[in-house]
Amino acid sequence: MKLHILGTGTAIPRIERGSSAYLVTTKDVNVLVDVGPAVVRRLLERGGYEVDDVDVVVLTHFHVDHTADLSTFFFACNYGRVPRIKPLTVIGGKGLARFYRGLRAIYPWITPKSYKLTVKRLVNDSIKLFGLTITTVPVNHNPESIAVRLEEKRSITFSGDTGLSPNLVRICEKTDMLVAECAFPERKVKGHLNLASLDKIVQKAKPKRVLLTHLYPDWDDYPGVLHAPYLLAEDGMEIDLPG
Ligand SMILES: [Zn+2]
Ligand SMILES: [Zn+2]
């Protein structure tokens, strides 16, 4: 299992940090978590992945910094070098079907022409695709917000955007890698975590490693030093979870 960090930023346009998005690759499946602005191009830049290489898209919620390039993604499936044949599954929380219908109403050209699309609402539930178990729980940000755990022999859990959330504690218990939003080192903002609030989750759930992401510019001049299990994410990082 390999984690590719496509972006670690927010809605604030920055050269150093693209919108938060991740690609998880196993020998059987490629899962894209979030599709914010410019993520389709980021896939190419970080390993030469094209939209056809992605089997599953997971949307943690519908905010623009997590979904703006979804239409770009669908459009490229229809009008790329070769029309997509491979099935695609898009997973999200409450209101996913309505969100997708809304996109199609604006961009009718994204309707799949040559491949099967499954739009799957998954909340407090698991699904097994290509040997990978995908589990989601609601978290504390938007009504549709979910945290997502991907599990094979090892596991990676994505918090999505969230404030403190008992569900997040539950889903990231003893996970090998928690990819956690930690929007601010110290500032308290509703619906987001800082180091102190994230640490409460980590103390209870004991993930083995915690990658901090969805980073606001507050982090630019953070003078503190992070200790294990914490690691600050950077765009372009690749992390192997062998086994
Ligand atoms: Zn966000
Ligand atoms: Zn958000």
Side-chain angles (χ1 to χ4, degrees):
M1 208 175 196
K2 189 167 182 173
L3 170 65
H4 306 253
I5 308 291
L6 303 176
T8 59
T10 64
I12 300 173
R14 308 214 54 196
I15 298 289
E16 307 79 11
R17 298 193 186 281
S19 41
S20 285
Y22 320 91
L23 182 70
V24 175
T25 55
T26 75
K27 69 179 189 351
D28 298 317
V29 64
N30 295 333
V31 180
L32 176 62
V33 178
D34 284 343
V35 203
V39 164
V40 169
R41 189 182 161 96
R42 260 295 153 91
L43 279 170
L44 271 179
E45 288 171 348
R46 308 285 186 216
Y49 292 97
E50 305 199 23
V51 292
D52 272 10
D53 295 316
V54 175
D55 305 286
V56 180
V57 172
V58 179
L59 302 174
T60 62
H61 62 301
F62 306 146
H63 274 160
V64 179
D65 58 319
H66 299 259
T67 58
D69 239 14
L70 184 60
S71 304
T72 313
F73 187 102
F74 287 138
F75 197 55
C77 288
N78 282 343
Y79 301 101
R81 277 196 291 270
V82 204
R84 184 183 179 111
I85 304 290
K86 210 171 39 160
L88 175 68
T89 302
V90 176
I91 290 172
K94 187 177 163 184
L96 178 66
R98 185 165 166 265
F99 179 77
Y100 175 64
R101 278 199 307 274
L103 282 184
R104 275 180 53 178
I106 300 166
Y107 297 126
W109 316 278
I110 67 170
T111 305
K113 286 164 79 90
S114 50
Y115 67 98
K116 183 175 185 299
L117 172 67
T118 305
V119 176
K120 169 90 183 151
R121 171 188 151 141
L122 190 75
V123 184
N124 282 323
D125 205 356
S126 291
I127 188 174
K128 197 162 185 175
L129 291 171
F130 307 95
L132 186 74
T133 304
I134 304 175
T135 306
T136 81
V137 292
V139 287
N140 184 11
H141 184 70
N142 265 6
E144 76 281 8
S145 287
I146 49 174
V148 186
R149 182 165 175 143
L150 305 180
E151 191 139 25
E152 222 188 9
K153 288 185 187 105
R154 309 287 293 271
S155 69
I156 305 176
T157 306
F158 299 88
S159 70
D161 289 11
T162 184
L164 272 175
S165 158
N167 280 344
L168 178 57
V169 174
R170 197 158 53 82
I171 200 173
C172 76
E173 203 181 347
K174 294 190 172 63
T175 190
D176 291 292
M177 171 69 69
L178 171 62
V179 180
E181 90 119 282
C182 190
F184 312 98
E186 287 160 347
R187 199 145 52 100
K188 290 181 185 168
V189 175
K190 192 168 177 281
H192 289 289
L193 294 169
N194 62 18
L195 273 174
S197 51
L198 175 60
D199 199 54
K200 286 183 187 161
I201 290 164
V202 169
Q203 292 304 325
K204 286 184 191 150
K206 308 248 181 303
K208 295 194 182 89
R209 282 190 280 176
V210 183
L211 199 61
L212 307 180
T213 185
H214 202 268
L215 306 169
Y216 275 82
D218 293 42
W219 279 100
D220 292 355
D221 18 83
Y222 174 65
V225 178
L226 296 172
H227 297 287
Y230 295 105
L231 180 67
L232 199 68
E234 302 293 344
D235 290 22
M237 267 183 177
E238 292 183 3
I239 297 172
D240 260 314
L241 287 92

